[in-house]
Amino acid sequence: ETQLVQNEYHNMGVVSLKVTTVNKTSISKLSNVKGKKAQVTYKKVSGAKGYEIQYSTSKTFKSGVKVKKAGTKTTKVTITKLKKNKKYYVRVRAYKYDEDGNKVYGAWSNAKNVKIKK
């Protein structure tokens, strides 16, 4: 009887943790399109609920950083209102929600740059 009570006690301390991870995406194409815009094409991540596209004139993304959000229906996003003759650095990450409804982000893709000439 004592052994049974001990086993029950030990089982009470078990907590199952489900860790949600998101795979890293990558930018497949980044080009300057007419009207001071940049078009970003990235690879789809399975299970992702959305994407964040971050762009900046800073290579290290320390200043002037802007974020554009995208859903899962597309893998091509156009960034507008850019300045002519400037170089922009762009990176993308996917996100999904864990079982508690919290947003879980994947790693940022490698940054690519584009010079705005059009």
Side-chain angles (χ1 to χ4, degrees):
E1 194 178 311
T2 0
Q3 198 172 358
L4 182 66
V5 172
Q6 270 184 324
N7 285 345
E8 280 180 30
Y9 175 74
H10 284 295
N11 287 343
M12 283 167 46
V14 175
V15 176
S16 65
L17 279 176
K18 188 177 177 191
V19 180
T20 305
T21 57
V22 185
N23 291 335
K24 184 176 171 178
T25 184
S26 63
I27 297 173
S28 47
K29 192 178 175 192
L30 177 61
S31 58
N32 179 204
V33 290
K34 200 172 178 197
K36 293 184 270 193
K37 298 174 188 168
Q39 197 166 59
V40 188
T41 308
Y42 49 89
K43 296 211 169 15
K44 221 178 183 88
V45 173
S46 66
K49 294 290 175 226
Y51 298 89
E52 270 189 6
I53 298 93
Q54 199 177 59
Y55 58 101
S56 172
T57 50
S58 157
K59 192 175 189 171
T60 55
F61 291 89
K62 295 275 187 246
S63 64
V65 178
K66 293 196 171 142
V67 175
K68 194 165 174 82
K69 301 211 183 279
T72 54
K73 292 194 182 353
T74 183
T75 56
K76 193 183 280 188
V77 173
T78 304
I79 301 169
T80 58
K81 296 179 185 164
L82 301 176
K83 290 188 172 74
K84 205 168 183 174
N85 294 322
K86 281 256 187 210
K87 189 184 267 190
Y88 286 88
Y89 296 88
V90 181
R91 62 186 182 176
V92 182
R93 69 179 173 179
Y95 65 86
K96 55 179 151 182
Y97 297 97
D98 66 10
E99 54 195 13
D100 299 328
N102 300 317
K103 214 180 250 190
V104 180
Y105 293 97
W108 285 111
S109 67
N110 295 336
K112 286 196 173 186
N113 64 60
V114 62
K115 179 121 179 177
I116 304 303
K117 294 177 182 165
K118 298 179 186 175

